[in-house]
Amino acid sequence: METKFNKIKPIKELETVIATLGDLYSEFESGRPNKVETLCPFCASKIHKNSFSYKNSIYCECKECNSLYLSPRLTKDELHKYYEFMHERF
């Protein structure tokens, strides 16, 4: 059913973009990029628990401030490679 919402928010196109980005991220991760363990970026606490994982990434929950963050995360060099990789392909 065609609605005004669908004309304003092109859901199918958005789903295609999200799927493409997911595939590209998986391709980049298959090269096993270097990652580094990190403290909570908000309060610098070392105390956390693994909350969930998604696409080879572990999301930690800080026990001090309850923030969610990635650890381990890409190193600065790997992040730069990731942006180059995505720029070339997307």
Side-chain angles (χ1 to χ4, degrees):
M1 175 168 151
E2 187 67 26
T3 65
K4 288 182 181 180
F5 178 81
N6 292 351
K7 289 180 182 177
I8 296 170
K9 305 276 186 181
I11 301 301
K12 288 183 181 180
E13 290 85 349
L14 179 60
E15 289 171 347
T16 300
V17 168
I18 290 170
T20 301
L21 289 173
D23 292 344
L24 288 172
Y25 182 77
S26 294
E27 183 182 339
F28 181 79
E29 277 284 319
S30 71
R32 303 201 185 278
N34 294 322
K35 295 184 178 184
V36 61
E37 295 285 335
T38 59
L39 303 175
C40 175
F42 303 101
C43 72
S45 174
K46 296 179 186 178
I47 306 167
H48 71 274
K49 71 174 184 173
N50 291 352
S51 186
F52 64 95
S53 62
Y54 179 72
K55 293 196 177 277
N56 272 348
S57 298
I58 299 171
Y59 289 78
C60 299
E61 180 180 351
C62 177
K63 292 285 198 168
E64 299 292 326
C65 72
N66 297 322
S67 296
L68 286 175
Y69 61 97
L70 287 170
S71 184
R73 64 176 64 180
L74 296 174
T75 63
K76 286 183 180 183
D77 288 341
E78 291 292 347
L79 187 59
H80 181 71
K81 290 176 189 175
Y82 172 74
Y83 286 126
E84 286 179 347
F85 174 88
M86 293 300 277
H87 182 72
E88 290 169 1
R89 288 164 178 79
F90 191 69

